Amino acid sequence: MAEKKNNRLVSWLLTRPALFAVIAFVLMTAASALAGLLGAPTASTRGVIIVLAAFLGATGWLLRKFPLENLDRRSFVAISNAQTLITSVAFIASTFIIAYNAQPIMMQLLWLESYSPATFLAIIILLALFYLYLCGIFIGNLYAKYRRIRAMGVSMWKTLATAPFGFCMLWIPGYLMDDAPGRANVMDVRPAWYARFTNWVISRPWHAALVLVVMIIISGFTFGFNAILLTFGLGLVFAIWSAVTGSQYMRKNIGGIYATTAIIINVITLVATITYFSLSHNNKTPAYNIAPTTQNAPENTQ
């Protein structure tokens, strides 16, 4: 019951990600100091491993703080839309500000570093906390998708085996497909205007499809548009599959052949990606700089 009381939208969007940002920052700072004491600069391989371990420790803490209930469609749509909007808008806005004001920002930071170190340090800490907060929301987004997929009856091992490329083939149905009749909502969506918007999204299939397309396109500014092309492609696989088998059959049997197909597509895509980058790396020939040499002609002596 205590976990259910904490299953509120604000905890997914603010409370837990903010606490994660603080904990991750403290742990990563301590890890950097420890790496320095061990003679491993942060930029070295050992230093990176130590700092990464601290980040993963904070991630483990965050995952343990999320509720264990699987998510119904309404709760998942409310969480997913809000998370995508916050991360994408924040990333787009910060990138725009930095890109168009890079030189003034750098000059100001250099001035602060020299003449006001305390202010400079405070700004760096705030920026680090801001981006760690966005990381916390992103981790929560992955967890919400996992809980929605599990609610549809897909086993844990099949869900994890679709990561990273086939994962969207499972959570997209969770966004678009209705729950079985009688399933209760695990989260009370607030504020009221956002609850009305969420109800509108799930009221008609084309409403949900439209909003989902917009959310995927917006997320392209964060994850790259090549990634959203894959998402749209696998979403099309779901649409065709659902049209052929029927939505009710799809809902009851999504954890069967469909989930297995998502795993196969994930493995094929993963192997193809690794092979492509491996071949691209091997085909790069090192550039040799051949310095021109001059030979002095022998002097004619008489």
Side-chain angles (χ1 to χ4, degrees), residues 222-275:
T222 303
F223 302 107
F225 287 94
N226 289 333
I228 70 170
L229 289 177
L230 177 63
T231 303
F232 279 129
L234 295 181
L236 183 61
V237 172
F238 159 70
I240 296 173
W241 198 300
S242 181
V244 172
T245 62
S247 58
Q248 291 186 358
Y249 179 87
M250 182 76 175
R251 183 173 63 227
K252 293 179 181 179
N253 299 278
I254 191 172
I257 298 177
Y258 179 83
T260 303
T261 304
I263 296 173
I264 295 172
I265 291 176
N266 178 62
V267 172
I268 293 173
T269 308
L270 186 61
V271 171
T273 302
I274 294 173
T275 302

Side-chain angles (χ1 to χ4, degrees), residues 82-291:
Q83 289 171 328
T84 302
L85 279 175
I86 290 175
T87 53
S88 299
V89 171
F91 183 82
I92 293 170
S94 60
T95 301
F96 179 84
I97 292 172
I98 293 173
Y100 285 89
N101 300 277
Q103 186 173 358
I105 290 174
M106 289 300 299
M107 295 297 295
Q108 188 67 26
L109 288 176
L110 289 173
W111 185 89
L112 288 173
E113 186 179 13
S114 300
Y115 297 98
S116 183
T119 305
F120 173 80
L121 182 61
I123 292 174
I124 296 301
I125 292 174
L126 287 175
L127 287 174
L129 290 173
F130 171 72
Y131 284 105
L132 286 171
Y133 165 75
L134 295 183
C135 285
I137 294 183
F138 175 70
I139 294 168
N141 181 258
L142 293 177
Y143 183 79
K145 290 172 178 175
Y146 170 79
R147 280 298 168 194
R148 178 57 184 153
I149 294 170
R150 297 286 287 118
M152 295 187 296
V154 183
S155 65
M156 180 182 71
W157 78 265
K158 280 192 173 184
T159 303
L160 298 178
T162 61
F165 296 110
F167 191 59
C168 57
M169 195 168 161
L170 293 183
W171 70 258
I172 287 177
Y175 192 101
L176 296 175
M177 288 198 314
D178 288 326
D179 290 311
R183 184 176 183 87
N185 297 327
V186 299
M187 186 179 70
D188 184 19
V189 180
R190 296 181 183 179
W193 67 267
Y194 190 66
R196 290 192 298 269
F197 170 73
T198 303
N199 292 336
W200 178 85
V201 172
I202 65 176
S203 64
R204 297 285 188 276
W206 72 270
H207 291 179
L210 175 63
V211 175
L212 179 61
V213 168
V214 172
M215 292 298 167
I216 292 174
I217 293 174
I218 291 175
S219 67
F221 290 95
T222 303
F223 302 107
F225 287 94
N226 289 333
I228 70 170
L229 289 177
L230 177 63
T231 303
F232 279 129
L234 295 181
L236 183 61
V237 172
F238 159 70
I240 296 173
W241 198 300
S242 181
V244 172
T245 62
S247 58
Q248 291 186 358
Y249 179 87
M250 182 76 175
R251 183 173 63 227
K252 293 179 181 179
N253 299 278
I254 191 172
I257 298 177
Y258 179 83
T260 303
T261 304
I263 296 173
I264 295 172
I265 291 176
N266 178 62
V267 172
I268 293 173
T269 308
L270 186 61
V271 171
T273 302
I274 294 173
T275 302
Y276 171 77
F277 282 106
S278 177
L279 292 176
S280 299
H281 177 74
N282 291 335
N283 288 334
K284 290 180 180 179
T285 56
Y288 295 99
N289 294 324
I290 302 177

